[in-house]
Amino acid sequence: MSLFRLAYDALICNDVSEKVILTSKLIHYKGLKDAHPKCNIKKISIPGRPQKPTLVNFNGAPKRDKSELGMIKNIHAICHIEFNAINLALDAIYRFQEMPIEYYDDWIKVAIEESYHFTLLRKYLESLEYQYGDFDAHNGLWQMTVETDYDVLARMALVPRVLEARGLDVTPSIKKKFSGSKYNEMVSILDIIFEDEIGHVKIGNFWYQYLCKKRKIDPIKTFDQLIKKHIGTNLRGPFNIEARLLSDFSQSELDYLEHPELLIIK
């Protein structure tokens, strides 16, 4: 079986446990000299997922207050994000089959780490006598994947550098909510996720810059154009500058994020 076929099979798998197992098998493809043979690429509006959780629009997602149930819902929401992140990484492998072999090594690493994060959160939910799927969830992460399936540059620009980077911005405040609570175990889980996500955003930054250089286009202006096209409004802070620097955002990019109105596009 080729790397691309395995990634596709894992991507469309509806059974959560089987998806995790299939994703773990990607490790056998790390370090190959090439990723052939290729396979046909299909548009995937909805990846493999269990019947639960029920998907709702963002405004219909469960409200997560500071009550015990609200804290459980927050854990479930993070678990759902990590489940989606497995599919995001699998699609990045399967869909873009003309990239250098190092690209696939990177995204295999991301897929396996996202699977680990999901497993940690799923097991923690189960220890609290809840299951992944017990609460509704929104589908915004996958929607951006669908919208960027036409170009690997758009994908690298907007999934790791926007969606995953947003996780770097908000994780410290989420950790504070769990710290000192009866759900304090979430702090150590979030620490693992946070450190790995710095690496994931760094991978996105590397391949985005690689593609911009290859196409001889300005990375900041192109990023601005893609944000306007797919998001329609400037990204909102506050931004975790320290974590973004660790993930290889340049100072010029951070200046743009904080003051996009100062960008002059000729």
Side-chain angles (χ1 to χ4, degrees):
M1 181 182 294
S2 76
L3 167 63
F4 302 123
R5 181 68 198 189
L6 177 57
Y8 174 76
D9 286 350
L11 178 60
I12 65 169
C13 181
N14 292 317
D15 182 270
V16 171
S17 296
E18 183 65 18
K19 185 185 290 285
V20 169
I21 291 170
L22 289 172
T23 300
S24 71
K25 293 181 179 180
L26 291 170
I27 193 68
H28 300 301
Y29 292 85
K30 278 186 68 69
L32 294 181
K33 293 183 179 179
D34 64 62
H36 293 90
K38 297 173 184 175
C39 62
N40 292 332
I41 302 171
K42 303 175 183 178
K43 191 173 186 69
I44 301 176
S45 299
I46 301 175
R49 56 175 299 275
Q51 289 186 333
K52 296 287 187 177
T54 300
L55 298 182
V56 297
N57 63 38
F58 186 80
N59 292 330
K63 300 298 182 288
R64 303 189 291 271
D65 53 38
K66 292 184 179 180
S67 66
E68 287 197 12
L69 185 59
M71 298 288 270
I72 296 293
K73 289 179 178 178
N74 206 351
I75 297 168
H76 185 274
I78 298 168
C79 187
H80 179 66
I81 288 170
E82 297 303 318
F83 178 79
N84 269 282
I86 301 171
N87 285 330
L88 297 177
L90 292 170
D91 193 78
I93 296 168
Y94 159 71
R95 186 158 306 284
F96 306 112
Q97 299 182 16
E98 303 292 341
M99 293 292 286
I101 192 64
E102 293 83 3
Y103 169 91
Y104 305 107
D105 280 353
D106 281 346
W107 284 98
I108 288 170
K109 171 180 165 62
V110 174
I112 290 172
E113 289 180 350
E114 301 292 18
S115 179
Y116 176 58
H117 301 163
F118 170 74
T119 300
L120 285 176
L121 290 159
R122 184 187 182 198
K123 287 182 177 178
Y124 186 49
L125 273 175
E126 290 171 351
S127 76
L128 300 172
E129 300 185 346
Y130 287 88
Q131 297 288 329
Y132 172 59
D134 281 351
F135 304 99
D136 293 347
H138 71 82
N139 202 33
L141 292 176
W142 184 256
Q143 187 56 42
M144 182 60 79
T145 311
V146 174
E147 289 184 13
T148 57
D149 65 7
Y150 65 95
D151 186 4
V152 63
L153 184 144
R155 176 68 60 82
M156 294 299 104
L158 298 179
V159 173
R161 286 165 45 89
V162 174
L163 300 185
E164 290 204 67
R166 186 59 183 155
L168 300 182
D169 298 333
V170 302
T171 295
S173 62
I174 295 173
K175 278 177 56 179
K176 287 182 181 179
K177 292 179 181 179
F178 287 109
S179 182
S181 75
K182 64 184 292 185
Y183 308 106
N184 188 59
E185 189 174 331
M186 275 296 292
V187 174
S188 59
I189 294 174
L190 288 169
D191 281 340
I192 293 170
I193 294 173
F194 185 76
E195 289 303 313
D196 287 346
E197 296 296 345
I198 287 175
H200 300 175
V201 178
K202 189 173 184 177
I203 285 169
N205 271 324
F206 175 85
W207 290 108
Y208 176 70
Q209 295 293 341
Y210 165 87
L211 289 161
C212 286
K213 185 176 181 180
K214 185 177 181 181
R215 298 183 191 185
K216 299 179 180 179
I217 55 179
D218 183 270
I220 296 179
K221 291 179 181 179
T222 302
F223 190 48
D224 181 73
Q225 291 163 358
L226 287 167
I227 288 172
K228 286 181 169 60
K229 176 179 179 179
H230 290 282
I231 299 175
T233 184
N234 294 326
L235 301 181
R236 290 186 296 176
F239 302 106
N240 187 334
I241 300 300
E242 180 181 0
R244 284 176 177 260
L245 285 170
L246 288 172
S247 62
D248 286 353
F249 275 90
S250 68
Q251 188 58 55
S252 296
E253 288 176 306
L254 295 173
D255 291 342
Y256 157 75
L257 286 173
E258 295 194 304
H259 302 287
E261 71 281 359
L262 299 181
L263 178 66
I264 300 174
I265 300 179
K266 296 180 181 179

